[in-house]
Amino acid sequence: MSRTVFVNGEYLPEGGAKVSIFDRGFVFGDGIYEVVPVIGGKMVDKAPFLERLKRSLGELRIAMPMSEDEFVAMHEKLIELNGIEEGGVYSQITRGVADRDFAFPAIGTKPSVAAFTMKKQLIDNANARTGVKVVTVEDIRWKRRDIKSIALLGQVMAKQAAVEKGAFEGWMVEDGYVTEGTSSTAYIVKDGVIITRPLSNEILPGIRRKVIKQLCADKGVKLEERLFTVEEALNADEAFLSSATTLVMPIVEIDGHQIGGGQPGPVARQMREYYVVAIKEEADLG
Amino acid sequence: MSRTVFVNGEYLPEGGAKVSIFDRGFVFGDGIYEVVPVIGGKMVDKAPFLERLKRSLGELRIAMPMSEDEFVAMHEKLIELNGIEEGGVYSQITRGVADRDFAFPAIGTKPSVAAFTMKKQLIDNANARTGVKVVTVEDIRWKRRDIKSIALLGQVMAKQAAVEKGAFEGWMVEDGYVTEGTSSTAYIVKDGVIITRPLSNEILPGIRRKVIKQLCADKGVKLEERLFTVEEALNADEAFLSSATTLVMPIVEIDGHQIGGGQPGPVARQMREYYVVAIKEEADLG
C-alpha cells in the first residue's frame, strides 16, 4: 500500500511526491533531517526532537518554513493518514530551490519540506531480544557531525561496509576511538558503568542519548561521558546502541568478538526497559 | 527564458524537472556530479570529464545508467536546445530511488540522471582581467574529497563564509596547508614555479589542474606538486585558481593581502592564454 507523504504543503501518494532537481537538498545535500519515534499512534521524545531540529536549522541558517505547531500538526496528520501505530516520521528541510550556486540563494528563498512515515515495531523488536552485531569502520565524515544534515554519504558508505560484513550497524572509529554508529549512538558497559562519548562537533547529539543520560540520573545508573577505544569496547562487559527506531539495542558481537558471552547484557536490557516505560508514559500507554 | 533540462530520460522545462523525495541524492547526498565547459557550442576537456565521471561512479559503486555515447548525446542535445555557445553543462547521477535506508538499495535500482546548461562567458571574462579575491576558511570536509560527490555541505558553508567576506572564492585550509578552493583548484607561483597540492584523497583531481600540468610540460613552465601553507601563499609572487567555468583565474588578494601588486601575474595570464588556445583547438575554433 502506498503511503501518503508530505512535500511542500501537499499531502501526496509517495509515488508522486517530487522536488525540483534544483532543490539544494538534491544538488548540495544542503538541508537537515529528523526522525521522531511513534508509539500508540503518538510521537514520543517530541520536545528534544523539535529542539534538535531547530538547532540544526540554526547552525545552517535555514529558516523554519512553517510554524512549529504546523510542523507538529503535519506529523500528526501523516501518522493518522497512514495509520501508524508504531514506527516513526522522517522529516527533511532543505534550503530550497535556486539556480545552482554554492553560496546561499537570495534571502526569501523558501526552504523545502518533505516528510514520510515508517511502520516499524519499536517495542516488540526481535533484534532487541537476541542483540545485534556491529563492526568497526573508519570515520571519514566531515567535522560538523553535530549538525543532523542530509549530506550523509560518509554514513552511507560506512553502513554499506558494515552490512556487507553481516553487521547490523557500523561503529565509526577516529584516532582509535569510537565516535558513534552510522545512524546511532554507541555505548559500552564496564563494571556496571555505562560509557559513551562526550558531546562535541565529532558526534550527533543523540536524542536517545540525552534521554538515557537522564534515565541514568533518575535511576541511579552510573554513566561516564568519555572517549573509549575499540580495544576497550572489545573487552567491555556489554555494549549497546540507541537511535529513534531502535530505542536501546543490545550488542552481542563487535568485529567478530563476542561481547557479554553473546547475550544481551543486564544493563542494556534494564536501560531498554526504562526507555520503553518512559515513552509509553509520554504516549499515555503507561 | 526557461531552460530545457534533462531528468531521467526526459527533456523538460526547468520548472517541471523533478525527482522523487526518495531519491538518494535528496535524502543522503548519495551521488556524483560533473561540469563540462562549452565553447563555440562544443564541449571541451571532454575526455577527462568522462574519465572522472566514471571514476567517481566507480568509487561509489553507482552504475552508469546510460551508455557513454547516450550521455554525451544528451549533453549535445541540451547545448543545442538551449542555444549554448559558451558556458557549461552540469550533470548529476545519484544511486536512484529507494525506500530510505543508509545501506545501498537492491541491485537493479536505476540510478537517476539530471542535467542542465549554464550560459556564461568563459573566455572573455571580466574577472580574469582584474583578478579575484580569495579568503582562507577552515577545511571541514570529509576524507574522500577525491570523489566528486553531491554531498557538498562543507563546500557550501565555506563558499558562503568567503562570499560574506567579499571574496570570489574560499581557499580551504587543513593543518596550516591550503587544500583547494570550494569549487576550484589552488595554485601559487614563486620565482616562476607554479606550486599546487599533489593529488590524494584530500583534494578533487581537478580536470583543469590536469590540463594545466600537461600545458606546463608542453610549454616548459615549471610546476611543482607539493603542499603549501597560507603563509607561503601570502608571500607568493602570484596566485590563481582553476575550474570548469573559470578556466584559469588570477588571484590578486588573499585574506586582504595584495598578491603580485594587486594585478594578475604574468604566469597566470600566460597559463590562461595557453588554456584558451588549447580549448579553442578542441572546439575547432583555433
Side-chain angles (χ1 to χ4, degrees):
Chain A
M1 201 188 77
S2 169
R3 278 171 292 190
T4 298
V5 305
F6 177 88
V7 57
N8 293 327
E10 294 185 283
Y11 295 86
L12 299 166
E14 61 183 323
K18 295 186 174 189
V19 290
S20 168
I21 62 165
F22 292 95
D23 192 289
R24 290 177 63 98
F26 188 60
V27 293
F28 290 126
D30 188 8
I32 62 99
Y33 76 104
E34 274 298 339
V35 178
V36 62
V38 172
I39 65 165
K42 288 187 185 165
M43 284 182 273
V44 291
D45 290 339
K46 198 171 105 179
F49 145 67
L50 291 167
E51 189 189 322
R52 189 172 66 181
L53 176 95
K54 286 182 282 184
R55 180 185 181 280
S56 292
L57 288 171
E59 291 298 311
L60 296 186
R61 293 194 275 150
I62 296 175
M64 183 73 178
M66 54 209 287
S67 75
E68 197 171 305
D69 284 351
E70 288 168 334
F71 193 71
V72 167
M74 177 269 282
H75 276 64
E76 287 166 349
K77 185 158 177 185
L78 283 182
I79 291 166
E80 195 197 326
L81 288 171
N82 294 287
I84 304 297
E85 273 302 304
E86 226 172 293
V89 183
Y90 172 95
S91 59
Q92 168 169 338
I93 301 176
T94 74
R95 204 180 302 277
V97 176
D99 205 14
R100 187 178 179 278
D101 182 351
F102 283 78
F104 297 173
I107 292 169
T109 301
K110 198 174 165 62
S112 301
V113 184
F116 54 85
T117 54
M118 297 168 290
K119 222 169 227 178
K120 198 176 172 183
Q121 293 275 102
L122 301 193
I123 295 171
D124 182 19
N125 182 330
N127 281 327
R129 288 192 291 275
T130 58
V132 297
K133 297 175 187 185
V134 304
V135 291
T136 56
V137 289
E138 195 192 342
D139 195 335
I140 63 165
R141 296 173 300 159
W142 76 328
K143 293 177 185 166
R144 288 302 307 276
R145 303 163 193 163
D146 56 307
I147 302 171
K148 200 167 172 72
S149 93
I150 55 167
L152 291 164
L153 189 50
Q155 286 90 325
V156 162
M157 301 306 280
K159 182 65 176 279
Q160 178 64 16
V163 165
E164 286 177 8
K165 286 180 180 169
F168 178 82
E169 175 62 302
W171 271 13
M172 296 182 283
V173 177
E174 190 167 54
D175 302 327
Y177 295 97
V178 174
T179 53
E180 60 189 332
T182 67
S183 57
S184 60
T185 301
Y187 311 77
I188 59 172
V189 182
K190 189 73 180 176
D191 301 326
V193 180
I194 298 174
I195 300 157
T196 195
R197 193 177 175 110
L199 294 185
S200 70
N201 288 348
E202 288 146 15
I203 61 169
L204 186 79
I207 289 173
R208 268 37 68 184
R209 181 190 182 286
K210 183 179 183 160
V211 175
I212 287 166
K213 191 177 161 184
Q214 187 57 51
L215 286 170
C216 283
D218 295 348
K219 307 289 185 182
V221 179
K222 281 186 193 154
L223 182 143
E224 202 178 323
E225 293 177 271
R226 66 168 175 83
L227 275 65
F228 63 88
T229 63
V230 175
E231 196 59 31
E232 276 185 278
L234 295 177
N235 293 306
D237 300 328
E238 299 182 35
F240 63 94
L241 59 85
S242 71
S243 73
T245 56
T246 60
L247 307 177
V248 176
M249 178 63 67
I251 291 167
V252 293
E253 195 182 297
I254 301 175
D255 285 343
H257 293 68
Q258 267 195 7
I259 306 294
Q263 298 296 321
V267 176
R269 281 188 285 116
Q270 180 68 74
M271 290 313 300
R272 184 174 172 88
E273 201 176 304
Y274 288 149
Y275 207 103
V276 167
V277 169
I279 56 175
K280 277 187 171 172
E281 272 172 20
E282 187 179 350
D284 293 324
L285 301 174
Chain B
M1 201 188 76
S2 170
R3 277 171 293 190
T4 297
V5 305
F6 177 88
V7 57
N8 293 327
E10 294 187 282
Y11 294 86
L12 299 166
E14 61 183 322
K18 296 187 173 188
V19 290
S20 168
I21 62 165
F22 293 95
D23 192 289
R24 290 176 63 97
F26 188 61
V27 293
F28 290 126
D30 188 8
I32 61 99
Y33 75 105
E34 274 297 339
V35 179
V36 63
V38 172
I39 66 165
K42 288 187 185 166
M43 285 181 273
V44 290
D45 289 340
K46 198 171 104 179
F49 144 67
L50 291 167
E51 188 190 322
R52 189 171 67 182
L53 176 94
K54 287 182 282 184
R55 181 186 179 279
S56 292
L57 288 171
E59 291 298 311
L60 297 186
R61 292 195 275 150
I62 296 174
M64 183 74 178
M66 54 209 288
S67 75
E68 196 171 307
D69 285 351
E70 287 168 336
F71 194 70
V72 167
M74 176 270 280
H75 277 63
E76 287 165 349
K77 186 159 176 184
L78 283 181
I79 291 167
E80 195 197 325
L81 288 171
N82 294 287
I84 304 297
E85 273 302 304
E86 227 171 292
V89 183
Y90 172 96
S91 59
Q92 169 169 337
I93 300 176
T94 75
R95 205 179 301 277
V97 176
D99 206 14
R100 187 178 180 280
D101 182 350
F102 282 78
F104 297 173
I107 292 170
T109 300
K110 198 174 163 63
S112 302
V113 185
F116 54 85
T117 54
M118 297 168 289
K119 223 169 226 178
K120 197 176 172 185
Q121 293 275 103
L122 301 192
I123 295 171
D124 182 18
N125 181 330
N127 281 328
R129 288 191 291 275
T130 58
V132 297
K133 298 176 186 184
V134 303
V135 291
T136 56
V137 289
E138 195 192 342
D139 195 335
I140 63 165
R141 296 172 300 159
W142 75 329
K143 293 178 184 165
R144 288 303 307 277
R145 304 164 192 162
D146 57 307
I147 301 170
K148 200 167 172 71
S149 93
I150 56 167
L152 290 164
L153 189 50
Q155 285 90 325
V156 162
M157 300 307 280
K159 182 64 177 278
Q160 179 63 17
V163 165
E164 287 178 7
K165 287 180 179 168
F168 177 82
E169 175 61 302
W171 271 13
M172 295 182 283
V173 177
E174 189 167 55
D175 302 327
Y177 295 96
V178 174
T179 53
E180 59 189 333
T182 67
S183 58
S184 60
T185 302
Y187 310 78
I188 58 172
V189 181
K190 190 71 181 179
D191 300 327
V193 180
I194 297 173
I195 299 157
T196 195
R197 192 176 176 110
L199 294 185
S200 70
N201 288 348
E202 288 145 15
I203 61 170
L204 186 78
I207 289 174
R208 266 39 66 183
R209 181 191 182 285
K210 184 180 183 161
V211 175
I212 287 166
K213 192 178 162 184
Q214 187 57 52
L215 286 170
C216 283
D218 294 347
K219 307 289 186 183
V221 179
K222 282 187 192 153
L223 182 143
E224 204 177 322
E225 292 177 273
R226 66 168 175 83
L227 275 65
F228 62 88
T229 63
V230 175
E231 195 61 29
E232 276 185 277
L234 295 177
N235 292 305
D237 300 327
E238 301 182 32
F240 63 93
L241 59 85
S242 71
S243 73
T245 56
T246 59
L247 308 177
V248 176
M249 179 61 69
I251 291 167
V252 293
E253 195 183 296
I254 301 174
D255 284 344
H257 293 68
Q258 267 195 6
I259 307 294
Q263 298 295 320
V267 176
R269 282 189 285 117
Q270 179 69 74
M271 290 313 300
R272 182 173 173 89
E273 201 176 304
Y274 287 149
Y275 208 103
V276 168
V277 168
I279 56 176
K280 278 188 171 173
E281 272 172 19
E282 188 179 349
D284 292 323
L285 302 174

